[in-house]
Amino acid sequence: MRLGQELKRLGRHSAVYGLGGLVSRILATVLLPLYTHYLPPGSYGRVEIVTAATAVLAIVLQLGISSAFFRFYFDAKEQREKLTVIRTSFWFTMLMSTVGLALGLIFAGPIAHVLGLGGDVNLVRAGAVGLWAQTNYQQLTALFRVEERSGQYAIASVANVLITVAAMVLFVASFHWGAVGLVVGNFTGTLVVYVVLLAYRYEQLGLEFDRGLFRKMQHFGMPLVPSALALWTINFVDREFIVHYKTAAEVGVYSAAVKIAGVITFVMVAFRTAWPAFAYSIEDDRDAKRTYSFVLTYLLTFTSWVALALGALAPWWVQLLTDPRYQRAEKGVALLAFAGAVYAGYVVLAIGSGRARKTQLNWVVTGIGALVNVGLNFWLVPRYGMVGAAIATAAAYVVLFVGMTLYAQRVYPVAYQWRRIVTCVGVAVGLTVAARAADLPLAPSFLLVLAYPLVLAALGFYLPAERQRLRRLVPIFSK
C-alpha cells in the first residue's frame, strides 16, 4: 500500500477515535471553572492523588496483557485463534480487576492514610470501583481498535463522556459530594457503557482461557510492566513530591496546569488509540519502516505547534479556564505541553521493539527516565514547587526519547528524518521562549503561533511534494 494511503488510514482512524476525546476535552475545559469553583485546591489535589494511585494499580494488575493483546491478535491468522486471544485477555482482566476492587474496599482506611488523603476512606472506595470499571472497559473497547471499527469506538466513547459529565455535574454541583462526587461521577459513564458492551460482545466472551497462549502473552507483556510503572512515575509521582514538600493546594494548582497542557494528551489519546493496531497491521517491513519515519516527523510537527499555542498563550488560557486562585498554573503549562509533544515521539519510537518482539529492555529506558524524574523532583520541588515538577517531567521525557531512539534503532532500525525533527521541535521551543521571556501581550504572542509553519518554510523544512500540496491548499506558500 502506498505511503499516502497508509497515512490517510492512520489519520482517519485517529480523527474518529479522537471524537470521544474531543468531546471529553471540550466538556472538561468548559467544566473546569465549575470544578475549581466547587472544589478548593486541596480537594482537587486529593482527586489527582487517587487518580494517580488507580493508574499504577491498573498497570500492575494487568501484567502487560493489555499490550500483548494487540501483538497477538494480529499474529493470529485464523478467526478461531483471534477469538482465543480475546477470551483469554478478557477473563484475565476481569479476574485481576476484581482482586483490585476487593483490596481497595477492604483496606480503604490504611490506603487513605498512606496516600495522605486525611482519612477519606470513601474517596479510596470510589477509586477502587473506578479502577475496576476502567480496566474492564478498556479491554472491551480494545476489540473495536483491533477490528479498526473506529466509528463504534467513538460512539461508545462519546456516550461514556456524556453520561460521565452529567453525573459529575450532578454529584459535585447539586449533591455537593466534593472530591468523592468527582471520582464517582468519573466512573459512572464507564460502568453504564461497559454493561452495554458486555451485552453487545456476549457471543465473543465465552468461557475459554488458553494457558499456553497466556504464558506467551506474559512473556511479551511482563517486561512492559516495569516500563509502564516507570512511565507512571514520570506522569504522577510529582504530585506526591509537591504534597510532601509543599501543600495539597499546590498540587491543585499544578493539576490545573496539567489539565490545560492536556490538550496534547487529547492528541495523544487519539493517536495512541489508533497507533498499535495500525503499526502492527502493516505486514511488509519496508513499508512499515518508511511509514514510521514519516509518522514521527508529522506527529512531532503537529504536537510541537499545539505545544507552542499552549505555551505562548499560557497566561490567557489559565485566566480563561480557571478561578483566580489557580493563576500561577501558567508557569507550568509550556513545560508540560512540550513534555507531551516529546512523549508523542517516544510512542512512535517504542513500536519498533514491539514489532521486533524485543520488549525485554524497554524497562531500562523508562527506568532511567523515571530515575531522572525522581532525582530532579527531589532537587527542584523544595525550591521551586510546581515549576520544579514541570521541569523534572520535561527533562524525563527528553531522556525517554533519546533512550528509546538508541534502543529501538538497535533492534528495529528505521531511517527517521532527524534534521526535520530537530527543526520542527526547535522552532516551536524558540518561539515559545520568545513570547514568554519577553512577556509579550496577547496579540504578538498569537502572531508568533501563527508564524510557525512560515518559519519552518523559511528553514527549508518541507519536502518538494509537501510544498506542492501546501501551495494548492494555502496560497501564501506559493509566493
Side-chain angles (χ1 to χ4, degrees), residues 1 8 28 84 97 158 161 216 225 294 300-301 330 389 427:
M1 188 179 291
K8 286 180 181 178
T84 301
S97 62
V158 171
V161 168
K216 292 177 182 177
V225 174
F294 277 90
L300 279 175
T301 302
E330 69 176 82
V427 168

Side-chain angles (χ1 to χ4, degrees), residues 253 257 314-315 318 326-336 384 386-388 390-391:
V253 174
V318 175
Y326 291 81
Q327 190 60 41
R328 284 192 307 109
E330 69 176 82
K331 299 182 182 298
V333 171
L335 287 163
L336 294 169
Y384 306 109
M386 53 156 284
V387 176
I391 294 172

Side-chain angles (χ1 to χ4, degrees), residues 43-53 236 239 251 255 258-259:
S43 295
Y44 200 50
R46 285 193 291 273
V47 171
E48 289 296 313
I49 292 170
V50 170
T51 301
F236 292 108
R239 276 79 156 177
V251 176
S255 299
V258 172
K259 295 292 185 186

Side-chain angles (χ1 to χ4, degrees), residues 96-140:
M96 296 304 290
S97 62
T98 302
V99 170
L101 172 62
L103 292 175
L105 296 177
I106 294 170
F107 299 105
I111 292 172
H113 177 72
V114 170
L115 294 179
L117 299 176
D120 194 344
V121 294
N122 288 330
L123 194 57
V124 173
R125 289 167 181 155
V129 177
L131 168 67
W132 186 92
Q134 188 64 27
T135 303
N136 286 289
Y137 171 84
Q138 287 177 348
Q139 183 59 46
L140 273 189

